[in-house]
Amino acid sequence: MVIDHAPSRAPELPGDNDLFSERGRGLRMVDSLAWRWGWHRMGFDEKQVWCTFVIEPR
């Protein structure tokens, strides 16, 4: 999980497919690799973005 101090801005995947854009790269990676992800507000001035990964046994 990651915490940031911009709770009014919901995390969203960038609409463009510009792979060289410096915006939204982390969330794009999370969306590609995680089984699921989401976010919620924490208190007055923070939000938490979380994700769940599935690890298969060897």
Side-chain angles (χ1 to χ4, degrees), residues 13-14 16-19 23-32:
L13 292 169
D16 61 0
N17 289 324
D18 180 6
L19 298 178
R23 186 178 161 278
R25 277 193 244 170
L27 197 53
R28 207 181 287 260
M29 287 186 351
V30 167
D31 188 58
S32 296

Side-chain angles (χ1 to χ4, degrees), residues 40-55:
H40 60 270
R41 288 181 187 234
M42 295 179 50
F44 162 67
D45 67 344
E46 294 179 338
K47 76 172 170 272
Q48 182 180 71
V49 180
W50 57 268
C51 65
T52 304
F53 297 99
V54 174
I55 301 173

